[in-house]
Amino acid sequence: MQQIPLPTYYLQSLLLIVFIGLLLGFIPPAQVSMFIGEQSGIGDVLLVAVMGSFLHIPALIAFPLIASLLNAGATVATAAAFITTLTMVGMVTLPLEIREMGRKMALLRNNGISFCIAIMIAVLMELIL
């Protein structure tokens, strides 16, 4: 596996920060609240969890993004689902995990155990907070 050169990684992170800033600037909070706010259900939590599973975003960018979404009206459950799947489920790194741990174990860890636990954490966080 080839490693990304450090300046390219920083450039990609900077572009991602600019893109997220522009996106949050153009999407009104009412729209955010409509999709992942109080009136959203478990389907939206699952959708955000799937997005978190497939994205590979550094925590330096993910936490401010979630803070902005919470300020715009997102629920705690959607924020928790995104953060937990972003850190626990790695669809981007799945080929490496399959190679190192075997297909059955990698799929069980990613899709079976980690994804389900992330959803349970999201629901629990919504109930607690």
Side-chain angles (χ1 to χ4, degrees):
M1 185 180 255
Q2 190 177 14
Q3 186 176 356
I4 299 175
L6 206 53
T8 304
Y9 176 76
Y10 288 135
L11 180 64
Q12 288 174 346
S13 296
L14 180 64
L15 290 174
L16 190 58
I17 291 170
V18 169
F19 174 73
I20 290 170
L22 288 172
L23 191 66
L24 289 173
F26 287 116
I27 298 176
Q31 288 249 295
V32 173
S33 182
M34 184 175 73
F35 287 111
I36 55 176
E38 291 295 326
Q39 63 268 23
S40 64
I42 191 70
D44 294 326
V45 172
L46 290 173
L47 177 68
V48 171
V50 169
M51 285 175 41
S53 299
F54 280 94
L55 293 176
H56 190 67
I57 301 174
L60 179 68
I61 298 170
F63 286 111
L65 167 66
I66 289 301
S68 298
L69 290 175
L70 283 170
N71 289 336
T75 62
V76 172
T78 54
F82 183 77
I83 290 294
T84 53
T85 55
L86 187 68
T87 55
M88 291 172 51
V89 181
M91 297 307 285
V92 173
T93 58
L94 187 60
L96 174 67
E97 291 182 30
I98 288 173
R99 189 178 77 209
E100 295 298 320
M101 297 188 297
R103 182 177 185 84
K104 184 177 179 182
M105 182 60 192
L107 290 174
L108 180 65
R109 189 200 76 77
N110 264 317
N111 299 334
I113 298 170
S114 295
F115 190 82
C116 292
I117 290 174
I119 298 300
M120 288 190 287
I121 289 170
V123 171
L124 188 63
M125 291 302 291
E126 183 69 32
L127 293 174
I128 292 172
L129 300 175

